[in-house]
Amino acid sequence: MRSVKAPPHELDEEGLVRLVAKGDRAAFEELYRRTSPWMAVRLRRRCADEQIVAEVMQETYLAVWRAAGAFAGAAVGGSATGWLWTIAARRLVDAFRRRAHHADPPPAAAVPDAAPAAEEEALATTVGGDVGDALRCLAPELRQVLQAMVLDGLSVRETAVLLGLPEGTVKTRARRARIAMRRALT
């Protein structure tokens, strides 16, 4: 009895990643077709520079093609889209670091002020008013967790993977951040 392989357009994202791991180009193209529009939107919410967004998109899908075999999926409580976003978010942070590393300081600056992190710039353009002010007043480690879980819609597990933290730490920081936000907004 032969196994019948479903066409890529009939598979979910996890199934597509599994086929990509086997070198299936049609599955990769279908995965890209399905996920690239929302990926670009999410990246643009964090970065206004279209060149960086395009670079991050290319690096993300290249990493997906190369590392699809490492995707653990639902077996560890993850999702294919969460895995993709984790890769993209890390690539975006890397791009911000590269940009900051290669940036020339302004010639007229007598005393250099601390430049806001790229995430801070993205946050300032995403969330404004009292909520934005309260969010910016949070400790950086609390703000990172809240940003990943609320603004980016990641699960506790995906946030833990993205930030390189234990899940319990993510839960604790998320709780502390929410309490601090409630206090700041009352």
Side-chain angles (χ1 to χ4, degrees):
M1 180 176 199
R2 281 185 3 190
S3 64
V4 178
K5 182 176 129 183
H9 67 275
E10 292 180 7
L11 295 171
D12 63 0
E13 286 78 9
E14 185 167 341
L16 291 172
V17 172
R18 300 233 181 273
L19 287 177
V20 170
K22 295 176 182 176
D24 188 323
R25 287 183 186 269
F28 180 78
E29 290 170 5
E30 179 65 17
L31 182 67
Y32 181 84
R33 186 190 65 73
R34 285 188 201 175
T35 60
S36 64
W38 67 259
M39 179 80 68
V41 168
R42 290 182 88 176
L43 288 169
R44 285 185 189 110
R45 279 195 302 179
R46 290 187 147 223
C47 177
D49 187 331
E50 283 296 319
Q51 183 177 355
I52 290 176
V53 170
E55 178 182 311
V56 168
M57 291 280 291
Q58 182 175 2
E59 289 176 7
T60 298
Y61 286 99
L62 180 60
V64 167
W65 177 256
R66 290 180 175 164
F71 173 64
V76 295
S79 68
T81 54
W83 181 68
L84 285 168
W85 176 245
T86 299
I87 293 170
R90 286 186 176 173
R91 295 298 186 275
L92 183 59
V93 169
D94 290 344
F96 285 145
R97 286 181 183 150
R98 280 192 306 272
R99 181 176 70 175
H101 178 71
H102 295 295
D104 293 328
V111 178
D113 292 330
E119 289 86 359
E120 297 297 323
E121 292 174 14
L123 182 62
T125 60
T126 304
V127 180
D130 294 339
V131 174
D133 293 340
L135 195 54
R136 283 184 285 281
C137 289
L138 286 176
E141 66 273 7
L142 300 180
R143 186 172 47 249
Q144 282 180 325
V145 169
L146 203 58
Q147 221 176 322
M149 292 180 72
V150 176
L151 296 179
D152 296 332
L154 299 180
S155 69
V156 170
R157 181 178 303 269
E158 292 164 343
T159 300
V161 170
L162 175 67
L163 300 176
L165 299 170
E167 288 182 42
T169 302
V170 169
K171 290 176 186 177
T172 301
R173 288 182 182 177
R175 183 175 181 279
R176 287 177 47 209
R178 287 183 178 112
I179 290 168
M181 289 291 291
R182 276 190 209 109
R183 283 187 193 139
L185 294 172
T186 56

